[in-house]
Amino acid sequence: TDILLTHGPPLEILDRNGRGEPCGCSQLLEAVKRIQPEIHAFGHIHEGYGSRTKHGTQFVNASACTIQYRPTNPPVVIEIEVDE
């Protein structure tokens, strides 16, 4: 698996709500560690918008909406290099 796309985030990765609490899934985090995709993209937790790299995976919270449900977050563009 090179690219993993899920609805929500793994635990402790771009998953903090407005109160600063982690809302991600611990089972998903374990699956991502096992699968080791190059990219894991998700949304759901609007406050976690952004990207970071951890465990060798680029994590992207591509939520289009803000916490106020306004679709003002800019689109996320990810460049993928293809080995030939």
Side-chain angles (χ1 to χ4, degrees), residues 2-4 13-14 32 36-42 50-61 76-80:
D2 294 324
I3 300 171
L4 177 63
I13 300 177
L14 304 171
V32 171
Q36 298 181 328
E38 289 187 39
I39 298 167
H40 178 200
F42 48 87
S51 69
R52 67 181 285 201
T53 301
K54 187 173 183 178
H55 307 298
T57 296
Q58 180 182 1
F59 294 92
V60 179
N61 182 328
V76 176
V77 177
I78 301 169
E79 292 189 30
I80 300 171

Side-chain angles (χ1 to χ4, degrees), residues 5-82:
L5 180 62
T6 62
H7 177 75
L11 184 64
E12 297 287 345
I13 300 177
L14 304 171
D15 70 334
R16 300 273 173 174
N17 64 18
R19 294 182 300 274
E21 304 163 330
C23 300
C25 177
S26 61
Q27 292 90 354
L28 179 57
L29 177 60
E30 292 306 313
V32 171
K33 287 180 181 179
R34 185 181 72 252
I35 296 167
Q36 298 181 328
E38 289 187 39
I39 298 167
H40 178 200
F42 48 87
H44 186 57
I45 306 299
H46 302 170
E47 303 94 307
Y49 174 82
S51 69
R52 67 181 285 201
T53 301
K54 187 173 183 178
H55 307 298
T57 296
Q58 180 182 1
F59 294 92
V60 179
N61 182 328
S63 180
C65 293
T66 65
I67 191 171
Q68 295 84 18
Y69 289 90
R70 292 189 179 98
T72 56
N73 287 339
V76 176
V77 177
I78 301 169
E79 292 189 30
I80 300 171
E81 294 181 25
V82 178

